Amino acid sequence: MTISIRGYAAQSASTPLGPFQFERRDARADDVSIEILYCGVCHSDLHTARNDWGFTSYPVVPGHEIVGRVTAIGPEVTKFQVGDHVGVGCMVDSCLSCDACDDGEEQYCRHGLTQTYGSPDRIDGSMTHGGYSESITVKERFVLKIPAGLDLRGAAPLLCAGITTWSPLKHWQVGPGSKVAITGLGGLGHMGLKLAKALGAEVTLFTRSPGKEGDARRLGADAVVLSTDKAQMAAVSGRFDLIIDTVPYVHDLAPYVPTLARSGTIVLVGYLGPLEPAVNSVPLILGRKAIAGSVIGGIAETQEMLDFCGAHGIASDIEVIAMADIEAAYARMLKSDVKYRFVIDMATLKA
Ligand code: NAP
Ligand code: ZN
Ligand code: ZN
């Protein structure tokens, strides 16, 4: 049986998000039904609501940093019970039979992952809707366990900001002795600092915002470099094994390339689109340097990250907001004025 639930949706790129009643698809035998308690606000929600990437299908209910409580399970569900605290991130299904899915990298499914919002469901074709809503129904394979002891509100951003920075840290084998830089201190950036530090790396923040230094150090940065200051950039020449670039908009990568060590990599996770100005290959070739990209992380890897955060007491630094305040939150996000992730208390949707 479909259920009718309340959420918040954007109806077009130019209309503010507002209340929206919609149907969730039928629960299936391998589904977990979840009452949503908290949902983080990712810059991708804003890009999608405003159609920055040109492929939004309206109405869209954003939200892919979901933490909630299990209210029902299908007969084939084995890993979860009613009452469990669970999470859902950016994807809710994939083909589950290609090489990427076989390798536990569902985010790189050859047949395209089903995103938590704005994707057609693989079985009935209905549009998925995200976490700015009362409840969600998700295939067990794509549901995560929230470790006991983690603050549920601070855990929500781990489902996207956490895994998106964790996955490149693990892929490029960051550990004690690694020199890592994070570009941009927002939702992703602050998780990058915390996770890289907890993995034992020496961590630097690149920021264009003077005034974030104190926070950056508290969050785990050993050093802070103002990216607009040529002398500060020159002082870190040849230093980093890995730079995770979380900047959401097009920006010049040329000043960052010389800060890579030999064989170092800049991994882009923020901006989607052509790089401008064009990147010169010469400093890449002469230093065996790379510019790469990465998207979220696999389900097993997401659980590994959550368990690591549980063991190390790592959660996101958050500002809790009411659902009705989402547009004000977006406006502050556009000004890089978030400390460091907004999380919606979904009880305010029901109020
Ligand atoms: P956010 O909280 O808004 O943080 C972005 C940070 O980037 C800002 O705090 C700011 O840091 C810096 N910044 C913003 N605009 C800039 C500009 N025009 N030039 C230079 N720096 C700028 O955003 P977020 O939620 O962390 O998301 C970051 C990006 O990652 C978004 O584009 C989002 O869509 C994308 N994303 C990708 C994935 C993936 O899987 N690849 C997953 C989640 C999100 P400073 O003030 O310190 O400079
Ligand atoms: Zn996200
Ligand atoms: Zn696949």
Side-chain angles (χ1 to χ4, degrees):
M1 268 236 320
T2 60
I3 50 163
S4 182
I5 66 160
R6 285 170 295 184
Y8 251 57
Q11 300 286 348
S12 79
S14 57
T15 44
L17 271 74
F20 177 60
Q21 191 90 23
F22 65 101
E23 307 273 311
R24 285 283 182 208
R25 63 169 176 75
D26 291 343
R28 299 170 187 144
D30 60 348
D31 271 344
V32 178
S33 301
I34 301 163
E35 175 198 7
I36 299 175
L37 300 174
Y38 302 104
C39 185
V41 179
C42 179
H43 207 113
S44 301
D45 299 347
L46 173 55
H47 287 310
T48 304
R50 304 290 195 250
N51 202 19
D52 287 349
W53 296 322
F55 52 72
T56 303
S57 148
Y58 295 96
V60 63
V61 178
H64 58 208
E65 295 184 335
I66 298 167
V67 164
R69 195 178 55 84
V70 176
T71 53
I73 54 170
E76 290 173 12
V77 170
T78 59
K79 288 188 302 188
F80 299 98
Q81 292 180 342
V82 171
D84 286 355
H85 286 135
V86 294
V88 178
C90 303
M91 52 184 175
V92 290
D93 207 355
S94 66
C95 87
L96 300 179
S97 58
C98 73
D99 57 337
C101 289
D102 285 348
D103 288 346
E105 298 202 309
E106 303 91 344
Q107 75 275 31
Y108 299 114
C109 176
R110 280 182 187 267
H111 304 287
L113 54 89
T114 305
Q115 298 191 70
T116 303
Y117 56 82
S119 282
D121 178 78
R122 291 187 120 76
I123 295 171
D124 65 20
S126 63
M127 268 298 174
T128 59
H129 286 310
Y132 296 6
S133 60
E134 295 177 282
S135 64
I136 191 165
T137 305
V138 180
K139 186 195 283 273
E140 172 179 35
R141 158 96 181 228
F142 289 84
V143 179
L144 288 309
K145 291 177 201 277
I146 303 297
L150 269 190
D151 174 59
L152 293 179
R153 302 170 309 167
L158 302 178
L159 277 308
C160 176
I163 185 59
T164 301
T165 47
W166 174 264
S167 186
L169 290 169
K170 296 302 277 190
H171 181 78
W172 276 273
Q173 301 178 343
V174 165
S178 306
K179 292 188 171 65
V180 173
I182 306 291
T183 310
L185 185 54
L188 268 54
H190 96 290
M191 287 312 309
L193 293 182
K194 288 187 186 213
L195 294 172
K197 187 66 183 175
L199 287 168
E202 186 187 302
V203 190
T204 297
L205 173 71
F206 284 124
T207 178
R208 48 163 202 168
S209 305
K212 287 190 177 176
E213 172 151 10
D215 280 355
R217 289 190 183 274
R218 179 177 54 76
L219 293 164
D222 300 290
V224 177
V225 172
L226 203 54
S227 53
T228 49
D229 183 319
K230 285 192 174 136
Q232 289 191 31
M233 293 297 278
V236 290
S237 179
R239 175 171 288 263
F240 302 112
D241 305 307
L242 182 69
I243 299 174
I244 300 179
D245 183 335
T246 77
V247 173
Y249 300 99
V250 71
H251 56 291
D252 189 6
L253 293 182
Y256 298 94
V257 173
T259 72
L260 287 173
R262 175 170 42 90
S263 308
T265 299
I266 296 175
V267 56
L268 300 172
V269 297
Y271 168 69
L272 292 185
L275 298 175
E276 291 165 15
V279 179
N280 186 340
S281 69
V282 173
L284 299 175
I285 288 172
L286 294 183
R288 203 207 271 140
K289 296 174 181 178
I291 295 174
S294 180
V295 72
I296 49 174
I299 291 298
E301 190 177 35
T302 305
Q303 191 63 59
E304 173 196 65
M305 177 274 311
L306 286 167
D307 294 344
F308 179 90
C309 288
H312 290 79
I314 296 173
S316 185
D317 283 31
I318 55 163
E319 295 189 50
V320 177
I321 61 167
M323 187 69 257
D325 295 333
I326 188 65
E327 285 292 332
Y330 282 174
R332 281 186 54 199
M333 192 177 245
L334 282 171
K335 292 190 285 181
S336 302
D337 174 27
V338 190
K339 290 185 172 14
Y340 277 90
R341 196 59 137 185
F342 291 117
V343 172
I344 305 160
D345 179 349
M346 219 44 74
T348 64
L349 179 63
K350 293 163 199 158

